[in-house]
Amino acid sequence: MVLLSCGHSSQDSDVKQKVPNPPSQTFQSPVDYEISLAGNFGEPRPNHFHGGIDIKTEGREGKHIYAIADGYVSRITMGLFGFGNAVYITHPTGQTSVYCHLKAFSPRIKAALRRYQYRHETCIADARLTPLDVPVSQGQFIALSGNTGHSTAPHLHLELHDTRTWEMLDPYPYLNHYIADTVAPQAHGLMAVPQSEADYFNESSRKQTFGIASHHIDRRFTAWGRVGFALWANDYMQGSYNHYGIHETILNVDGHQVFRSLVDSIPVSLNRMVNSWGDYDHWLHYHTWYIKSFAEPGNTLPMLKTDSQRGVVTFNEERDYQLEYILHDYKGNEARYTFTVTGRAPVTTSASADTAAPTALSALFRWNQTNSFSLPGMQLIVPYGLLTSDIHIRPTVNRRPGYLSDAYSFSPTSLPLVGDAEISIFARTDNYDTDSLLFAEADPTKFYISCNGKFSGGSYERGWVSGRIRELASTCLLEYDDCPPDVRPLSLTAGRLLLALSDRQSGISTFKAWVDGRFVVFDAVEKTSNVVCHLSETPIKPTGKSHHLKFMATDNRHNTREFEADFIY
């Protein structure tokens, strides 16, 4: 059994503390009480890194949020990127802070958003402002905390970006003096990953995991060939039951550093590469992240530093190898874990981790090239840069006679890509039958690719429809949408116009509204499919008389529904 460690405070003999290098400037706290974190920067999540820090708001909404530094409001959004209501403040020091999941904006910021929407006649809440529109001072009230967007509990999600490159930066160092932490990281499990069928750990070429119970190891392991290691570990803070990602991880072999990760900045374009650094397949099955102490050949995360073998350890001598993990949080709290691996050629060979014979539909995709795969009526193109290691795809085809296309999938298990690949499917319009009506004269603009039931684009050319795919285990097929969205009135009284929007096929794209011929803003209602217009925030004056509403909703295949109604206001 591997004996690594449970978490210890910085006073423990096995836990040390180093002093980090602080940034050249510090910012004010965004809240007026002691900061307690629910999440830190760079935590692994499915398909993305956690791009900021989550500050607790005492379990409720409505806490005052303040600008962390001088600057100006450069952007205001509602309902974008899972942020809910969000304010972006650009600072003269070269950073932009982003405050997310807000309940409400300050009156000044809300007014700037509305001016932008009415000037551009758009219900999409994405206002881009100039330095003169809404300047702010450090400590100025900007919003109330909330639970909007992809948030499961009230909190403030605070991000910090390099304004020029939009690289994600860790806000922790800039707010370091507001955060108390004397608790070291804690490791829970070790994973050994033989790199091929000819490499062994404990005489097996399969990936293996081991629980961790102590800083020091009593049992020795055996290995032969090339083996990578991964660690399941969390950071902790006093007074909180939450756990956090590891700021710095170092792996030494015989006193020489072979791997180091320092999670202080992450390019947004490499967000999905978290699936390569973490063992994504293990997370899908057990919801725990083992973070690799080696880099797959196509992993280009700049925060990973490795030796010439990319952190993979070669065991090719019959002797003891001494391995040591060193973990740090930003405060410098440190924990070390040591174990011994004995180099020894295996006595017996184990079954391969994947002994299945190649199927009739299979292909090897290389990480360092553009890959393609074709079947009658389908083509998949995965450009260079979307894979971090070689993979085997095993496509399956679900025959669908009488429909526009068959259904295609490329892996029985999850295979996420770093970015968008292209899938093209041929439209069988001569074979399409809906309610016993042949569909030979279909409108090409109404075709689209559906992957796992979600709209994935659809450009038509000479019978082929092309769309996007990011998960090769998705089931993709061709759909046709010539039906407009549904619009239903829920409330047209008391100064509030509330409508329900729905679309069962390609999904809602945009909507727009007018009252008595004048444009009015409708906002999406958080965590529902409804939209609402508060007439007191519009140019429409209450007269006690009848007014006329015209509302238009358009889906992703350009089908438009017009809804009209009269109401008293």
Side-chain angles (χ1 to χ4, degrees), residues 355-435:
T355 58
T359 63
L361 296 179
S362 65
L364 175 65
F365 277 16
R366 300 287 189 182
W367 70 269
N368 57 352
Q369 66 183 39
T370 292
N371 298 273
S372 63
F373 182 86
S374 298
L375 291 171
M378 185 282 301
Q379 182 179 48
L380 172 69
I381 299 176
V382 179
Y384 168 75
L386 299 192
L387 297 175
T388 58
S389 63
D390 294 347
I391 63 170
H392 281 91
I393 66 166
R394 292 182 172 86
T396 58
V397 182
N398 180 18
R399 303 297 179 186
R400 302 170 74 238
Y403 287 84
L404 281 171
S405 76
D406 295 332
Y408 302 90
S409 182
F410 303 95
S411 173
T413 58
S414 180
L415 283 178
L417 302 173
V418 173
D420 289 336
E422 179 180 292
I423 181 171
S424 299
I425 301 176
F426 189 77
R428 299 189 306 225
T429 54
D430 59 338
N431 193 35
Y432 187 59
D433 190 349
T434 299
D435 295 332

Side-chain angles (χ1 to χ4, degrees), residues 324-352:
E324 179 184 41
Y325 269 108
I326 306 173
L327 307 180
H328 294 123
D329 61 21
Y330 181 78
K331 288 287 190 179
N333 300 302
E334 176 186 285
R336 294 173 178 256
Y337 307 88
T338 59
F339 59 102
T340 300
V341 179
T342 300
R344 188 172 70 199
V347 176
T348 60
T349 59
S350 64
S352 166

Side-chain angles (χ1 to χ4, degrees), residues 94 161-169 265-269:
H161 292 257
D162 182 297
T163 302
R164 183 179 60 85
T165 65
W166 207 242
E167 186 168 341
M168 298 183 291
L169 308 175
S265 63
I266 304 170
V268 172
S269 61

Side-chain angles (χ1 to χ4, degrees), residues 52-330:
I53 59 175
D54 287 343
I55 298 175
K56 296 182 181 181
T57 57
E58 301 176 348
R60 63 179 187 266
E61 303 180 44
K63 306 292 287 186
H64 281 213
I65 305 300
Y66 305 95
I68 61 175
D70 294 343
Y72 71 95
V73 176
S74 53
R75 191 177 185 186
I76 313 165
T77 63
M78 296 174 65
L80 298 183
F81 321 120
F83 284 177
N85 300 330
V87 173
Y88 297 63
I89 297 179
T90 297
H91 307 287
T93 49
Q95 303 91 359
T96 295
S97 54
V98 188
Y99 312 75
C100 309
H101 307 316
L102 305 170
K103 178 180 181 180
F105 305 117
S106 70
R108 186 162 167 248
I109 292 175
K110 178 69 172 288
L113 171 63
R114 289 296 189 234
R115 284 195 301 271
Y116 182 94
Q117 288 178 297
Y118 278 99
R119 184 164 61 248
H120 294 85
E121 292 198 355
T122 177
C123 289
I124 297 175
D126 187 4
R128 310 298 182 103
L129 307 182
T130 73
L132 300 179
D133 289 327
V134 188
V136 295
S137 301
Q138 185 179 66
Q140 185 172 338
F141 169 70
I142 59 171
L144 295 175
S145 68
N147 189 30
T148 58
H150 295 168
S151 170
T152 57
H155 71 281
L156 170 67
H157 176 76
L158 175 67
E159 293 193 358
L160 196 64
H161 292 257
D162 182 297
T163 302
R164 183 179 60 85
T165 65
W166 207 242
E167 186 168 341
M168 298 183 291
L169 308 175
D170 186 357
Y172 194 128
Y174 300 85
L175 302 172
N176 174 38
H177 49 297
Y178 294 103
I179 304 172
D181 180 11
T182 60
V183 182
Q186 174 180 345
H188 304 287
L190 176 72
M191 176 182 287
V193 187
Q195 298 296 289
S196 76
E197 297 176 16
D199 303 310
Y200 298 92
F201 191 85
N202 280 3
E203 300 191 0
S204 172
S205 61
R206 288 190 172 94
K207 178 172 65 179
Q208 302 166 64
T209 59
F210 306 89
I212 292 174
S214 169
H215 280 284
H216 310 290
I217 298 175
D218 293 331
R219 170 185 168 178
R220 293 187 176 185
F221 299 93
T222 63
W224 196 255
R226 302 179 72 248
V227 179
F229 293 93
L231 198 66
W232 168 26
N234 295 313
D235 192 20
Y236 298 89
M237 296 180 183
Q238 63 266 35
S240 173
Y241 292 103
N242 297 89
H243 56 79
Y244 316 96
I246 304 298
H247 178 65
E248 182 181 40
T249 302
I250 296 171
L251 176 61
N252 293 329
V253 178
D254 294 334
H256 299 286
Q257 181 177 298
V258 300
F259 174 87
R260 178 180 182 241
S261 62
L262 184 65
V263 187
D264 55 2
S265 63
I266 304 170
V268 172
S269 61
L270 301 182
N271 224 337
R272 288 178 62 89
M273 211 162 274
V274 67
N275 297 328
S276 167
W277 188 26
D279 191 311
Y280 183 67
D281 182 67
H282 191 278
W283 183 90
L284 285 176
H285 287 90
Y286 303 104
H287 281 238
T288 54
W289 281 104
Y290 276 84
I291 303 301
K292 297 168 188 171
S293 308
F294 62 97
E296 292 180 337
N299 189 324
T300 57
L301 286 168
M303 62 189 180
L304 307 184
K305 307 299 180 184
T306 70
D307 62 358
S308 60
Q309 301 302 308
R310 299 187 67 82
V312 174
V313 183
T314 300
F315 299 94
N316 57 4
E317 299 177 14
E318 293 194 342
R319 63 174 179 86
D320 288 345
Y321 294 76
Q322 305 300 327
L323 282 76
E324 179 184 41
Y325 269 108
I326 306 173
L327 307 180
H328 294 123
D329 61 21
Y330 181 78

